[in-house]
Amino acid sequence: MNDSSLSEASITLVRDFPPMDATERERLQRKVQAALASVGLCRCGAVQVTIEGDCIRLTGFVSTYYVKQQVQEAARKAAGDNCIENLLCVSRDVID
């Protein structure tokens, strides 16, 4: 396969959802926060959930990469078709 056929075979995924209004963003934010709380994650407010466009942004600190992955998976299940941007930092100084 040469470069030209490779570019022809490339697939571009374009999301064409209407933008969320403030009420929808707030509802989605609460839904993700509730999902994290229901599985015992982020009790101390070390993880913040914000909505940017149609993307859920996770920021803050967790104690291990495993917890970071758990938080992302819980958020993904609550997110529906919205993307997840996991910007969580792992720090041994955090108690989950």
Side-chain angles (χ1 to χ4, degrees):
M1 185 180 280
N2 62 31
D3 288 337
S4 64
S5 63
L6 181 60
S7 64
E8 291 171 10
S10 297
I11 297 173
T12 303
L13 177 62
V14 177
R15 298 186 56 161
D16 191 21
F17 295 114
M20 282 188 271
D21 65 20
T23 303
E24 290 173 303
R25 282 192 303 275
E26 186 176 306
R27 180 197 56 78
L28 181 59
Q29 183 177 13
R30 283 195 310 264
K31 183 178 179 183
V32 172
Q33 289 168 332
L36 298 182
S38 73
V39 293
L41 299 168
C42 314
R43 287 174 282 227
C44 302
V47 174
Q48 293 77 45
V49 177
T50 55
I51 310 297
E52 297 289 330
D54 68 345
C55 194
I56 297 163
R57 182 175 290 160
L58 304 171
T59 56
F61 296 90
V62 293
S63 61
T64 66
Y65 285 101
Y66 178 70
V67 172
K68 179 177 178 174
Q69 186 177 20
Q70 286 183 304
V71 169
Q72 179 174 314
E73 184 61 18
R76 186 191 63 76
K77 287 179 181 177
D81 290 331
N82 297 284
C83 69
I84 303 288
E85 185 177 17
N86 188 347
L87 301 176
L88 293 172
C89 296
V90 177
S91 172
R92 293 181 184 203
D93 296 333
V94 174
I95 299 173
D96 296 315

